[in-house]
Each structure stands twice: as structure tokens, then as C-alpha cells.
Amino acid sequence: MDFTPEETILQSIISARKWISAQDTLKAGLRWIFYNQTGQIRKGSEVHEYVSSPLMAEVLACKAMLRNALSSNIENLRVFGIVSNIKSLSDLFNSISFFFSRSKNV
């Protein structure tokens, strides 16, 4: 999906203002968009309060995206952006481990 330069600038200004106002409140705005081969099929957003870090915001965004994919009956999913963001943020730690277990994640 292509955006005009005007749309890009407007969205950047809106996002920057939201980010600035959220810095004092520890709020995190989460947003996701699902696409298929023909275009956008669903989008959503949530606001969470008392989010302690950018890494926690990424975790909450990933959880919300997966929950919404399931409720939308989306069976095949490719994730872009989040994994590289988590990777770059996790590089700030001396040690970090990720565990994925479907049976224990309830």
C-alpha cells in the first residue's frame, strides 16, 4: 500500500504528538494491520497504561496481534517488524532468554 507524501507527513505528525503526550503517562499505543494478497483485511489498535518499557510495549503488541489474528480466523501469519525490534532491544541486555511453549502459555 502506497501513501502520498502528504499522508505520510500527516501520520508522522499525529504519531509524534501521541508519542510526546504518552511519555509522562507510561501509555503505549498498539496497532496492527492484517493483509492478504488483495489488500488490507483487518486492522486494530489498543492503548495500555503503565507500560514500563519499549520492550514491554512490543510484547503487548505481539500478544494483541496474535489474539486478534486468532479471533479473525487467520490461520497463516507472517510477522514483520516486531521480531527485529525485539532483537535490537534485547541487545541492550547482558543476557536474555525466550521460551515458547504452547502447553504452558495459558
Side-chain angles (χ1 to χ4, degrees), residues 64-75:
M65 178 267 307
L66 291 171
R67 188 176 57 244
N68 280 272
L70 288 171
S71 69
S72 300
N73 296 319
I74 295 174
E75 296 178 353

Side-chain angles (χ1 to χ4, degrees), residues 32-51:
W32 57 90
I33 303 173
F34 299 121
Y35 293 93
N36 62 13
Q37 290 78 10
T38 61
Q40 180 177 313
I41 58 171
R42 183 180 171 102
K43 65 180 177 178
S45 62
E46 294 179 3
V47 175
H48 288 258
E49 295 188 15
Y50 309 109
V51 177

Side-chain angles (χ1 to χ4, degrees), residues 2 40 56-57 65 76 94:
D2 293 330
Q40 180 177 313
M56 182 55 71
M65 178 267 307
N76 299 304
N94 290 330

Side-chain angles (χ1 to χ4, degrees), residues 25-32 34 44-69 79 82-83 85-86 89 98 100 105:
T25 62
L26 296 176
K27 287 185 180 178
L30 315 176
R31 176 182 245 176
W32 57 90
F34 299 121
S45 62
E46 294 179 3
V47 175
H48 288 258
E49 295 188 15
Y50 309 109
V51 177
S52 59
S53 69
L55 185 58
M56 182 55 71
E58 291 288 354
V59 169
L60 291 170
C62 189
K63 182 178 177 181
M65 178 267 307
L66 291 171
R67 188 176 57 244
N68 280 272
V79 179
I82 292 174
V83 175
N85 291 344
I86 290 174
L89 288 168
F98 296 96
F100 300 95
N105 193 10

Side-chain angles (χ1 to χ4, degrees), residues 10-24:
L10 177 62
Q11 188 58 48
S12 297
I13 291 170
I14 291 169
S15 296
R17 286 182 178 161
K18 287 180 182 178
W19 182 85
I20 289 168
S21 68
Q23 297 311 297
D24 293 331

